[in-house]
Structures are given as C-alpha cells and as structure tokens.
Amino acid sequence: MSAKRVTPQSIDDQRADVGSRTASAALSSVVLGFLAVFYVINAFLLPDAAVEEGIGPKTFPLVVGIVLLCTTGLGIIAIVRGGVEVRPVGGQEVLRVASCIVLFGLYTASIFLIGFVEASVIFSMLVSMTVFGVRLSAVRAVGLFVINIVIAMALFLIFDVWLHVLLPVGWLEFWVFGGLQL
Amino acid sequence: MNTINELLSALSGIATSPSLLLIILGGVVLGTVAGLLPGIGPSTAIALLLPVAITVPAEVSLPLMVSLYLGAEYGGRISAILLNIPGDPGAIMTTLDGHPMALKGKAATALSISALASFVGSVLAFFGLAFIAGPMSELGLAFGPGAYFAVVVMALVLSATLVGSAPMLGLTAVAIGVAVSTVGIELQSGLPRFTFGSFTLLEGIDPIVAIIGVFGVGEILASTAMSKDFQTVSKLSGRFLPTGLELRQGTLPSLRGSIIGFIAGVLPGAGTTIAAFFSYGLEKRLAPESAGMGKGAVRGLVAPESANNAAVSGSMVPLLTLGIPGSGTTAVLLAYLMMYGLNPGPGFFDANPELAWTIIGALLVSAILGVVINIGASPLLAKILAIPMPFMAPVILILALISCYSIHNSATDVYIALAFGVLGYVMRLVGMSPALLVIGLVLGEMLERNLQQALGLTGGNFWAVISDSLALVFIVIAVLALVSVLPWRRLFGKKATEAKADVTK
C-alpha cells in the first residue's frame, strides 16, 4: 500500500478543498499592509521628548516602523508574485471565520448578562452548528446540550471555585455552587 | 562537580515531593493530549494555563509548563502516525514514515518505537542542558547592554530566517511582534505610545493575551476550513514491543537525531520543527535505497522524533542562560517568567538556583513519565483522537476566554486576544509563523531597554554600541543570516519552499 505524502501544504489543501489563492493573497496583503502603514503613521505622530542621553520615545518605534514597512512591502511582493505558499480561502470559509469572530465577541459580552455557564452552553452549540456546520437530530442535539452544560459547569468549578478566577455567575451556577456555599 | 550536586539535589527534591511529581505527571498527560490533538500545540496549551499560573507560585507552575511542553512533543507523534496529521509542528516529519508504518498494520509498533526514540532524545538533551546551562549562564554575565542588544538582534534575525517559508514574511512577523511591544507607557520618558486614549493599553499589551490570540483563537479560526469528516484514525494494529532488528535499525538514527535536535533547539527560534526537518534530511541522505525512507522506515520515524524531543531541552539553554527563547513555546515560557518578575538570563542560576535546577530536573522526570504514559496508555490516547474538532473548538475558545479574562477580570483583554486571533489566522494563510510574532513581542521590550542602556553608556553613540567586540560578533552573525536569505531567488521565498519540498519528497 503506498503511503500518501504529507506536507503542510497538502494538509492545507485538505482543509480548504474549495477556495481561491488570489482572495487569500489579497486578504493577507491588505491586513499586513494596513498594519504596517498604520503603525508607521502613528510612530511619526509620537511626541519626541528630549532626553539627556540615549533615545527618546519616538526613535525606536520609528525605526521598527520603517523596518516593518520595508519587510511588509517585500513580503507582499513575494505573496503577489507567488513566491510564497498561500492557502486558498473560499467564500464559505470567510463566512465561517466571520461568524466565529462575531459569535466569540457576542459570547464575551453575554457572560456578563446571563452568566458564564449559560453563555458558554449557547456559544458551544452555535459554534458547532453554524461555524462547523454540524447537523444534529433533535435527540443528539439534546445530548450535546447536556454534555455542554456538564463541560461548562466543570470549567466553572475548576476556574471559579478552585482557582478563584471571578467568572460572572448566572442562575445555574448560583443554584449549583452558590447554594452549596462552596 | 557543582552541576552534578545541584542536579542530584533537584532530582531528589522532585522525587521526594509527591505533589511535584503529581504536577509533572499532570503536565505530561495534559501535554500529550494537547500534542496529539491537531490544532492545540504546546504554546496554546501553556498559554491557556494562565489562570493556573496566576494562582500558584512559579515553583509549581513552571515544572508543570515544561513537563507539558515535553509531553506535547510525545503526543504530537500519535496523530502524525494514526491520522497522518502532525499534532504539533515538530511532528510534521514523523508523518512521512510513521503513517506508512500504520498503513502497513504496524501502528502500535510505530507508536512504541517512536515513544522510545522521543525518550532517548529527551534524556540525551537533558544531560546537554544540565551541563551547558551553568557555564553558559556564567558566560552571559560578561555581556553588557550593547552585547545584549546585539544578541537580541541576532536572535530575532535567526528566528525570522530559519522559520517559515519566506524570510521576508518571517521578518515581518518578528517586526509586528516588536511593534506590539512598544504599545504602552515608555519607561524612560513616561510618555504613552500607541494607546489611543485607552487606559487598558497604558500597561501595554500583555504578551500572554497576544499569545492566546495568535495561537489559540487563530488556530481555531484556521480550523473552520477543516471538513468535519476529515479525521480517519488508523487502527492500533501490530505488536506493541518493537523487535530486536527494529531497535538496532533505530539506535544510530536516534542518537544522531538527538544531537541535531539539541543543537537546533539551542539556535534561537529554530525549535522542534527545524530539528525534525534537519534530522530527517540527514537520515534520508545517509539511508540506502533499500531502507525505504518515506515508506515506513524505522530510521525515518525515530530520527525526527528524537530530534523534536531533544530540541525541547535545547531550547531551554538560551532561555535560561541568556533570556532568549529558543522556540515559540519557550517564548511563551519567557512571558510567564517575566510575569512572575523572574529575569531569565545571566545570573538567573545564581539568583534562583533551586527554581532553575527544578525546571531542568522536571525535564528528566517528564521524559521518564512520558515514555511510560505514551507506551502504556496508547489505546486510550488514540481514542481521544476520535473527538471531532467541531466539538473540541468551542471548549478551546472558552478556555481562551477564561485565560484572558483572568488577567484583569476584564473583557477588554478577551477582545484584544480576538484581534490577535484574526491576525494569527491571516498570518497562517500565507505561511507566517505566529511563533515569530510572539518571539518579537517578548524580545521587543528587551531590545529597546538594552539599546537605551547601551546608548546611555556610550553617550548616545550607536556605532560605539555595535563596534564593541562581543556585540560585533553577534551583529555579524545576524548580517550573515540576513545576507544568506536576501539574495536573490530566496528574497521572495522561492528557494526556501523548494528546499522544503525537496526534503519532503
């Protein structure tokens, strides 16, 4: 039986069977280019306080910014000219990544509104089903829901009760842990 | 003699402390699980331990972290052999002969022989670390701020040029990291930089938050492209104990891999991936055609496995003696050491002898526990691989949230981690290593501080700083490393990718 040769690229190809290298190159070039330009402009705007010896607060960031701008520029040229392995990215992937970012942002905000365990359970269900596209029957969805509650409660127990990370408390964790005065 | 005494004292301290042994055991188990799950490397796992690190003292958390690091190198080979996917980057080369062995019905043999090779690499490199670290730390005391500045420059350039497919993108990643390190109040003048009116940013961006973002969140964002039917685990077939012939075939490659791995680990930024890459390349050149490299050869399996485990101890040498991370994961460890107010580097062994030797001793104990767990619990570990990413990913993201939130009990750190996660995802699209950003971030502050001190000593004369004989040596090495990758075909990464393809053929 012949073994399939594995390279990081082939793994990436398996990850993204449909997608465009151009979109990927454009996306990464825009993000990296924006970061470099943004940093250099703000480095130029820094006040240069006078110091007796050595360098002021502006010089080091300015040198770093210029290096960043140069390497990013050459890096973008390398990406555009195809001198770099670029993982293709498809519309569906962008959508999934965007939804994952939005869900994570909402999850972070919601732990203060409904509590850590409750928000974590909802977040886990939504990530599995929307971001990763898992389709579940009603019975399996209930099973996953229960597993997620158990995992979230276990995490709350480890981090809040044992390690004293002050996680926001919802009604479920108050009922289970607060009621027992742990 | 002093080294032997210190070492024996540390080992007896660990052996007589059941709680420390339990912590190291926990670290090895956690590391093995983190290593075997594709997408969770040692860097992510250690970064996610932040709530634990905040709660317990450094004497407890650092042995836990180094044992986790070594455990992850053991664990990475399991998914490489059974799934054909490296669990961590150091196990990439293990797939080349490990998975073909599994396809031949020798998965169990491949797992046990690679665990033994990992053990050999870990133990040999442990002795290398134990006997080099002390003298090198003494040597580091001779470094002034100018020489230190030059060492950091060399470390950043070597890291950028050794890791990833394109040196320019490597340098970009390092420069982004250094740029991020300039956020916050500048210590000499007291002026805020890049804070945009935010009180949270006045303290700067916590390296751990950035690490959780680029490694943890970034990897999950990248994994959204994975098909949910992607994982096909090979059956754990074949005999567990390797034959005498297989052991003989693996002995020399394992020894060679250990030496290469240790040296690669010592090189700043090179880490486990480069170690495995070089050792596999050497075995391929040395092996006769009949060895069947790439088709399930024992030497092709053991060499990279010894190397990646040896690189763990190797990467501890520059971390503990010079305060320079030898890999992405040691950059995370450096961030933790700084968080504890410990300053690894010259004088670290004199200031914290017990802690330093406990960290080193923990590596040997982890190596022993690692081989026992990885051979004894192989069937159980293989079952963990069956957990699909769609159900694993939310748990990792929740852990990322808890870790970031635990720093200041504030959601702001979580949103910063999310922003770094997006950056980490974009970097992965073009093959930029997030580890380089982290190395730049943790070394950036050291770079600026030493430059300022050196300029202060020389009355602001930069040329006097870099013309110091010791500094000049490091600057020349950095320039040579840059020149070797800048010309002409390699400028845009072509030669690097061709070289990579050549080794993986």
Side-chain angles (χ1 to χ4, degrees), chain B residues 118-145:
Chain B
S118 298
F119 176 69
V120 170
S122 304
V123 172
L124 290 181
F126 158 77
F127 285 111
L129 167 66
F131 289 98
I132 283 177
M136 214 166 141
S137 184
E138 298 288 323
L139 186 75
L141 287 170
F143 288 16

Side-chain angles (χ1 to χ4, degrees), chain A residues 1-8 11-12 14-17 24-25 27-29 31-32 35 38-39 42-43 46-49 51 53-58 60-61 64 67-68 70-79 81-89 93-94 96-97 100-102 104-112 116 120-121 123-125 127-128 131-136 140 144 148 151-152 155-156 159 162-168, chain B residues 39 48 51-52 55-56 84-86 92 95-96 99-100 103-104 149 165-166 168-169 171-173 175-176 178-183 186 188-189 191-194 196 217 219-228 230 294-295 389-391 393-395 397-403 405-406 409-411 414-415 417-418 422-423 425-432 444 447-448 451-452 455-457 459-460 486 491-494 497 500-501 504-505:
Chain A
M1 196 182 289
S2 68
K4 192 174 151 193
R5 185 156 53 92
V6 170
T7 63
I11 293 167
D12 287 343
Q14 288 176 69
R15 276 179 167 183
D17 47 356
S24 187
L27 177 67
S28 49
S29 299
V31 172
L32 295 174
L35 274 179
F38 180 78
Y39 185 83
N42 283 284
L46 284 172
D48 202 2
V51 286
E53 288 170 335
I55 50 175
K58 183 175 182 173
F60 184 76
V64 172
V67 171
L68 178 63
C70 294
T71 55
T72 306
L74 290 169
I76 289 173
I77 293 171
I79 293 168
R81 287 179 55 174
V84 174
E85 289 174 11
V86 177
R87 183 166 72 78
V89 62
E93 184 185 333
V94 172
R96 284 177 171 188
V97 169
C100 192
I101 293 166
V102 171
F104 192 66
L106 290 174
Y107 165 54
T108 306
S110 67
I111 60 169
F112 301 100
F116 170 77
S120 299
V121 172
F123 173 70
S124 299
M125 297 293 289
V127 168
S128 298
V131 176
F132 288 94
V134 174
R135 297 279 170 269
L136 296 168
R140 293 192 71 186
L144 182 64
N148 282 329
I151 291 171
L155 290 174
F156 186 85
F159 290 103
W162 290 346
L163 294 174
H164 306 295
V165 175
L166 297 172
L167 295 170
Chain B
L48 293 177
V52 178
T55 316
V56 298
N84 205 21
I85 306 169
I92 284 176
T95 57
L96 299 180
H99 190 63
L103 292 178
K104 285 177 181 173
F149 164 75
S165 59
M168 267 310 138
L169 291 178
L171 288 167
T172 305
I176 293 173
V178 177
V180 172
S181 78
T182 61
V183 175
E186 200 264 333
Q188 209 171 38
S189 63
L191 286 172
R193 297 187 300 200
F194 308 105
F196 309 106
V217 181
E219 188 58 48
I220 296 302
L221 292 179
S223 74
T224 55
M226 266 188 195
S227 160
K228 58 181 184 291
F230 183 47
K295 294 171 187 165
M389 188 48 113
F391 304 115
V395 179
L397 288 173
I398 293 170
L399 284 172
L401 173 131
I402 296 171
S403 298
Y405 178 78
S406 66
N409 287 340
S410 149
V414 185
Y415 290 119
L418 181 58
V422 175
L423 181 60
Y425 169 75
V426 171
M427 289 171 74
R428 281 171 176 84
L429 288 180
V430 288
M432 287 168 82
L447 184 72
E448 186 176 10
L451 178 62
Q452 282 177 340
L455 287 172
L457 290 172
L486 280 177
L491 179 62
F492 301 123
K494 279 193 175 170
T497 49
K500 200 174 193 175
T504 51
K505 267 178 192 169

Side-chain angles (χ1 to χ4, degrees), chain B residues 146-231:
Chain B
Y148 229 94
F149 164 75
V151 166
V152 176
V153 170
M154 181 191 76
L156 292 175
V157 172
L158 283 179
S159 305
T161 51
L162 283 173
V163 180
S165 59
M168 267 310 138
L169 291 178
L171 288 167
T172 305
V174 165
I176 293 173
V178 177
V180 172
S181 78
T182 61
V183 175
I185 290 180
E186 200 264 333
L187 292 177
Q188 209 171 38
S189 63
L191 286 172
R193 297 187 300 200
F194 308 105
T195 55
F196 309 106
S198 161
F199 285 108
T200 310
L201 290 178
L202 283 176
E203 285 182 33
I205 290 173
D206 196 308
I208 304 287
V209 171
I211 288 163
I212 292 168
V214 291
F215 282 118
V217 181
E219 188 58 48
I220 296 302
L221 292 179
S223 74
T224 55
M226 266 188 195
S227 160
K228 58 181 184 291
D229 305 319
F230 183 47
Q231 291 162 312

